[in-house]
Amino acid sequence: MSKDHNKVVSLASVGQGVRRQGAVSRGSLPPPLAAVRDRVQTFLRVGLSELFDNADDTLFAKADRAASNADQSMFFDAMRLLRLQRHAVEKSCCEGLDRQFNELQGYRRAAEAPASYDLDSLSLVQPDELEQTVAMDSMVGRVLARNQQALTHLTLRLNALINGGISDADNVLAPAQLVQLFVDGYAPLNLDIKVRLIILKMFERHVFNSLDSLYADINELLANAGVLPDLKQGGPVRRPRAERPAPAASRPAATTGAADDGAEQQQVLSIFSELISSWRHVSGDVALSALGAPSAPPVRSDELLGMLNHFASQASHSGASLTDLRNHINHQLTEQQRQTGEVRKLDRVDDDVISLVSMLFDVVLDDDQLPAALKALIGRMQLPILRVAIADKSLFNRASHPARRLLNELARATMGWSDHDDLQRDQLHALLERMVDRMHGEALVDAAFFEQMHEELAGFVRLEQRRAERLEQRTRDAEEGRARVEAARSQAARVLNGLLMGRTLPVFVVDLLRDRWSQVLQLAHLREGRDSSAWQDAVALAERLVESVEIPVRETLEQRRRLNEQVCEGLCDGLRLIGEEQPEDSPQLHQLQALQQAALATMAPPAPPVVEPVESSVMVEPVSASISEVESVPAAEPGQPELAVDIPLLTDMVLVEEPVLEEPLPESQPETVAELPDAEAAAWVDSLHTGSWFELAASEDRPAQRCKLAAIISFSGKYIFVNRSGMKVAEYGHLELSSLYQRGEIRLLANDQLFDRALESVIGNLRQLRGSRS
């Protein structure tokens, strides 16, 4: 991995990097090394093939659960792009591996020019790159934890083959080298960070999880070929060393790498020392390192750690704070001088580390985004962090340092805590309190101890997150389902209200459409959507049903009969969809047929006059009647189905002047221009994505609370917020959320690394002080 990627503080170097020269052609590798190369390439091809074979299913599942159309499109585009470019990525990885093997035989670490740093080059890497780097570091760390000895044996055997001095980190088979090949292979695709993290996780599953057997196979292959066959698992690990002190150009890489890391740490600390000197000049602070005689020997770091341990034991009982530490150290130095007569002073680097840690925690504890309960816990972690910073000064320039990872993980895990929460029964709070107590009670608080703490916390958080995600998924599904039902009900109401308003129709028809056919419309909308043929057919049938009970003109009599048959058949099909059995025999169908025939009877040709023998001959004139005037079911026309004679014809008519179905009220719109949210607020809402944490200000009906955006419902445009348990706590529309932002009643909580954010703030403050001084 690149240095810029695995360090939060990116130090721009003008020096040249390590150069590998003397690359040889593919066919000139020693036979054992060529066999190793072929074995690794086969392993890599198989693993990448499995990865890409499963990428479609994984990304499709992510797209199916996407909270927004944008995310869904992103996953579908990534799925298509990976399908098209998979062979290019595989080829890039294999060619890169082949190139690295060819470079091995001529590998020599060139002398590096001392790196020079500029104070103004201190900056944080981009959030996406940082997130990817953290994921890569975690993957590599898990592989190394399982295979450190096997990898060391591989390094020794490769050095024996090429007469070189590569280190474990420079080994072409090191997990960091392999994952970097893969990252470089997919880099040209410009995938979104969400997709990259998913693909990296799949790389770990399909490639890294099988590295254990690969390392064992290659070690066995080389041992059988006579390359250091006496190396045993579990035996002492021997490092290659030169016969005599070697120049920098040919010094073993492991030694050179350690020296380079130490030099880089000193370079970084010297930069901070200069910045801290400016701060001391402005603030009037006096360094403890300046209190002794200029020629006095400095206190060794292990002695200083003893003083810190003693101070930690006092602090745990008397409640002393970190601000008392300098007085405590000064007292210890004075006491030593009184007892031994020797003047000692604090080393300048250690003195600066104490000041720097103090500044970092001042920034952290002043962060208004951290809940009060978390600040109390972090405040108690100052001394343990200081102890590990004195012992391991790479804390400030190594993003993967366990202490930094622990602080960052702790901040992420407690993102959902609110100040009004009762945390006495909270399992996470109890775990963190136990961890802090262990930090104070542990005699040796080093990087390994913090790594153990981080793994314990991360494991607990993963369990909690899985539980919360299940409930959160149920919340999303329920809200999505409710929004779909509301959308279907709204569309059905809009169609039927538009169809019936202003018409005079039989009450029975209005009731049938409102009570029964609205259900058919909703079901068609839910199942197949508004643009489906099922929905269009259901809407069309409602229109034809209304038409079938209206009095037709004489020219459309035959078409009306066919229309009536189609309406009755469609009505039966729709009633079956909503669960009605044998709708052909239902009273609703018979009543509809009666109304249809009554409408036809009003326009039937007049019957020939019938002359009856009466005392005086009278002609009976035909009478045209409306449906409301027909008092009984007319006889069926020839070819028409017989109607039940006991079905009374419901002839009550109604003028529909009001909506027959209630339509959901849309989100309230501003009545004046002044009530419109500004462009910044609207843009802020548009930029939100699920998974982000927010703080809602207190209102009359609820206290201030923290919540996560769990879903953006496409059907309703609602933004659904849940607490850290996954339960819904609030929902807002776009306009309402914009208004909340404009009034300052909601804010997005920073989701970046806590330690890194504090370090950036300290750097900025120190730069500002230096600028004001100059």
Side-chain angles (χ1 to χ4, degrees), residues 140-325:
V140 170
R142 286 189 284 270
V143 174
L144 291 178
R146 304 193 308 266
N147 299 282
Q148 184 61 65
Q149 189 178 55
L151 182 60
T152 300
H153 287 181
L154 276 178
T155 302
L156 293 172
R157 289 186 164 108
L158 291 179
N159 280 323
L161 275 174
I162 66 175
N163 296 320
I166 64 172
S167 66
D168 286 353
D170 294 323
N171 192 334
V172 297
L173 303 180
Q177 299 285 348
L178 294 176
V179 72
Q180 191 63 49
L181 281 175
F182 180 64
V183 169
D184 293 342
Y186 70 63
L189 305 184
N190 293 322
L191 299 172
D192 187 91
I193 183 60
K194 296 179 182 178
V195 178
R196 280 187 272 163
L197 294 179
I198 293 170
I199 297 300
L200 281 175
K201 191 66 178 177
M202 297 183 68
F203 184 84
E204 181 177 23
R205 183 182 307 126
H206 297 288
V207 179
F208 268 10
N209 286 351
S210 302
L211 277 181
D212 309 47
S213 59
L214 176 69
Y215 288 160
D217 290 347
I218 295 177
N219 269 315
E220 184 178 1
L221 185 153
L222 292 175
N224 293 338
V227 183
L228 300 182
D230 295 329
L231 284 177
K232 303 294 184 183
Q233 285 293 109
V237 177
R238 294 174 292 149
R239 297 285 181 183
R241 58 185 179 87
E243 295 294 330
R244 60 182 182 276
S250 60
R251 191 179 305 151
T255 305
T256 310
D260 291 342
D261 289 343
E264 183 176 295
Q265 291 171 21
Q266 292 299 324
Q267 192 97 25
V268 173
L269 290 173
S270 67
I271 293 173
F272 281 120
S273 179
E274 182 178 342
L275 292 173
I276 290 172
S277 296
S278 300
W279 165 74
R280 287 198 171 104
H281 178 78
V282 173
S283 64
D285 182 74
V286 178
L288 288 178
S289 55
L291 295 179
S295 60
V299 177
R300 298 192 311 272
S301 293
D302 58 342
E303 293 180 275
L304 178 58
L305 287 175
M307 296 180 186
L308 294 179
N309 291 340
H310 183 259
F311 180 75
S313 63
Q314 289 185 349
S316 62
H317 293 90
S318 63
S321 65
L322 188 60
T323 56
D324 302 321
L325 176 62

Side-chain angles (χ1 to χ4, degrees), residues 52 84 90 175 195 237 274 366 442 462 599 745 768 773:
F52 288 115
L84 293 174
E90 291 176 9
V195 178
V237 177
E274 182 178 342
D366 285 340
E442 191 74 16
R462 281 194 295 270
E745 296 178 10
Q768 186 176 3
R773 179 187 175 190

Side-chain angles (χ1 to χ4, degrees), residues 68 70-71 192 194 679-694 709 712 719 721 734 737-738 741 747-748:
S68 67
D71 281 352
D192 187 91
K194 296 179 182 178
E680 179 188 355
W684 181 81
V685 175
D686 289 335
S687 69
L688 300 182
H689 57 83
T690 57
S692 301
W693 281 90
F694 299 83
L709 179 57
I712 304 173
Y719 292 72
F721 295 86
H734 189 285
L737 204 53
S738 301
Y741 174 78
R747 64 170 177 168
L748 177 65

Side-chain angles (χ1 to χ4, degrees), residues 729-747:
V729 295
E731 71 172 44
Y732 299 105
H734 189 285
L735 183 62
E736 190 176 6
L737 204 53
S738 301
S739 299
L740 286 176
Y741 174 78
Q742 193 167 340
R743 297 195 302 268
E745 296 178 10
I746 185 172
R747 64 170 177 168

